[in-house]
């Protein structure tokens, strides 16, 4: 049986010497979610995740993972979480099947090895030595090892770093299949496209704090909205620079392209085309598109750093 929420963090603080690297983190992760924790290097993601895994002790605040205090590292707690680190844990001289069987023997209720190998897409490599696997296949084996104990929560640390686009796409499909097992996934990644594709919810960390959280759509609505880009003949630049932006709209000139960020693209486009029409100039290469998670992420960090 799973408990909802799977993870609760309240006012979590962590100090190394005199430096506070977690400054009061609050977070709730529901069971069954694929949750992505994003942020620049040094933001505090690893510290947070390692506290959740029971590998580091908090300085203050409270953390509950499946109702457990992770730092006590109770046997039952360790059985119910799976961890996929960035380094490979497998012994290269065992076959894929032997490796997964071996890790399964450490648990009281392991899943079926064949089922897990199918899930991660390694059924054809069962008899291969794990050292003969490609980089992407090794990572899948790591995920199989993380899953064999039948965890309720899987921590996935940068699962596709260094993958080619095809291997990355296959890994994403695999993570999606985990949802069907009812497994909660806590994902860290530097690839915004990955978080956008996989995550049901996202939190962005910076300087030891959560600076934004929600679904991609929530964040898009709240922080960036849409982007309108266009080029014009130089002589009309001043007219556009004086273009009245409203609310939180922003206008930037990047090289020769104007980028207007707006939460109300219909109104912004109307005003923009009116200025162009009234003054008889063209908006060249006019493109309206929804902000991607990467746009949103960069915009949130930019605002954070300026304040
Ligand atoms: P992220 O995973 O987001 O890159 P980390 O949690 O690894 O961030 O690091 C957050 C901050 O804590 C960084 O400034 C890092 O240098 C510092 N830090 C991490 N581990 C230690 C440690 N064991 N001792 C001292 N400082 C640390």
């Amino acid at each position: 049986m799973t408990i909802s929420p799977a993870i609760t963090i309240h006012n979590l603080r962590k100090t190394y010497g005199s430096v506070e690297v977690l400054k009061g983190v609050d977070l709730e992760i529901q069971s069954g979610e694929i949750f992505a924790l994003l942020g620049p290097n040094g933001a505090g993601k690893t510290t947070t995740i390692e506290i959740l895994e029971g590998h580091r002790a908090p300085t203050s605040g409270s953390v509950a993972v499946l109702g457990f205090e992770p730092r006590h590292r109770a046997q039952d707690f360790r059985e119910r979480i799976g961890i996929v680190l960035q380094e490979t844990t497998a012994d290269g001289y065992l076959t894929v099947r032997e490796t997964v069987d071996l890790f399964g023997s450490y648990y009281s209720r392991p899943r079926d090895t064949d089922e897990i190998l199918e899930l991660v897409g390694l059924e054809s490599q069962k008899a291969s030595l794990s050292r003969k696997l490609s980089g992407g296949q090794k990572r899948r084996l790591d995920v199989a090892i993380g899953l064999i104990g039948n965890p309720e929560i899987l921590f996935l640390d940068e699962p596709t770093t260094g993958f080619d686009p095809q291997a990355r796409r296959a890994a994403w499909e695999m993570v999606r299949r985990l949802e069907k097992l009812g497994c909660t996934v806590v994902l860290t990644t530097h690839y915004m496209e990955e978080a956008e594709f996989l995550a049901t919810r996202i939190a962005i960390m910076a300087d030891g704090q959560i600076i934004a959280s929600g679904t991609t759509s929530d964040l898009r609505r709240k922080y960036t909205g849409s982007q309108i880009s266009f080029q014009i003949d130089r002589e009309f630049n001043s007219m556009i620079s004086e273009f009245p932006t409203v609310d939180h709209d922003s206008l930037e000139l990047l090289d020769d392209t104007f980028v207007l960020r707006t939460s109300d693209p219909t109104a912004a486009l109307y005003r923009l085309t009116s200025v162009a029409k009234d003054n008889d100039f063209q908006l060249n290469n006019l493109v309206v598109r929804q902000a991607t998670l990467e746009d949103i992420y960069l915009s949130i960090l930019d605002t954070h750093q300026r304040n």
Side-chain angles (χ1 to χ4, degrees):
M1 201 193 86
T2 49
I3 299 164
S4 195
I7 296 175
T8 312
I9 304 177
H10 181 59
N11 199 17
L12 177 63
R13 291 175 187 273
K14 177 73 181 176
T15 308
Y16 292 118
S18 58
V19 185
E20 193 173 44
V21 299
L22 297 183
K23 301 171 182 166
V25 171
D26 289 298
L27 204 58
E28 211 168 74
I29 301 177
Q30 304 303 322
S31 88
E33 272 195 298
I34 299 184
F35 191 90
L37 190 58
L38 309 176
N41 290 329
K45 304 179 299 293
T46 308
T47 305
T48 305
I49 299 284
E50 290 189 353
I51 289 171
L52 296 176
E53 293 168 347
H55 291 131
R56 293 195 203 195
T59 303
S60 66
S62 64
V63 175
V65 177
L66 299 170
F68 292 89
E69 263 193 62
R71 68 184 144 156
H72 295 151
R73 298 190 51 73
Q75 172 74 14
D76 196 24
F77 165 74
R78 282 182 285 136
E79 290 236 343
R80 287 166 64 185
I81 65 163
I83 300 176
V84 183
L85 299 169
Q86 280 183 54
E87 312 86 54
T88 296
T89 29
D91 174 348
Y93 290 92
L94 295 179
T95 65
V96 165
R97 168 175 254 295
E98 286 165 347
T99 306
V100 178
D101 276 342
L102 174 67
F103 279 90
S105 71
Y106 302 153
Y107 294 91
S108 53
R109 298 176 304 271
R111 289 193 93 94
D112 178 60
T113 299
D114 288 321
E115 178 205 4
I116 292 299
L117 290 177
E118 191 186 329
L119 182 94
V120 302
L122 281 179
E123 60 274 55
S124 324
Q125 283 77 30
K126 272 180 208 171
S128 307
L129 289 180
S130 59
R131 70 190 157 93
K132 296 261 166 83
L133 300 179
S134 71
Q137 289 168 338
K138 281 198 178 112
R139 209 78 186 94
R140 286 164 193 234
L141 179 56
D142 289 337
V143 175
I145 292 169
L147 286 173
I148 192 64
N150 197 14
E152 286 164 52
I153 301 180
L154 187 72
F155 292 95
L156 267 181
D157 190 10
E158 298 187 25
T160 66
T161 297
F163 279 25
D164 63 49
Q166 202 183 4
R168 172 163 300 141
R169 194 48 80 138
W172 291 356
E173 298 300 342
M174 179 194 72
V175 175
R176 280 266 174 93
R177 287 199 290 275
L178 298 184
E179 256 186 317
K180 299 205 182 85
L181 294 181
C183 191
T184 306
V185 178
V186 181
L187 170 80
T188 56
T189 181
H190 284 295
Y191 300 111
M192 296 304 124
E193 207 191 335
E194 179 160 299
E196 186 163 6
F197 186 86
L198 289 176
T200 41
R201 265 186 334 126
I202 287 154
I204 300 176
M205 275 191 97
D207 301 321
Q209 288 171 309
I210 306 284
I211 58 168
S213 65
T215 63
T216 301
S217 319
D218 290 342
L219 297 178
R220 184 178 287 126
R221 255 195 312 277
K222 196 158 167 203
Y223 294 98
T224 334
S226 305
Q227 287 196 1
I228 301 172
S229 59
F230 55 92
Q231 293 161 349
I232 52 171
D233 289 343
R234 243 167 228 280
E235 59 186 294
F236 300 107
N237 271 7
S238 60
M239 235 162 252
I240 288 297
S241 300
E242 285 156 22
F243 177 71
T245 51
V246 293
D247 297 333
H248 298 295
D249 286 10
S250 72
L251 182 68
E252 259 187 299
L253 179 59
L254 302 167
D255 296 326
D256 57 350
T257 305
F258 282 96
V259 177
L260 175 64
R261 295 192 179 82
T262 177
S263 51
D264 187 353
T266 311
L269 209 51
Y270 177 77
R271 286 183 293 123
L272 194 60
T273 48
S274 303
V275 173
K277 191 133 196 353
D278 293 348
N279 295 282
D280 205 21
F281 65 87
Q282 292 294 317
L283 301 168
N284 299 316
N285 298 324
L286 177 65
V287 175
V288 184
R289 67 172 178 85
Q290 266 197 333
T292 62
L293 182 59
E294 181 158 312
D295 298 324
I296 297 166
Y297 172 84
L298 292 173
S299 145
I300 290 172
L301 279 182
D302 190 45
T303 310
H304 172 78
Q305 276 154 9
R306 270 191 264 170
N307 293 334

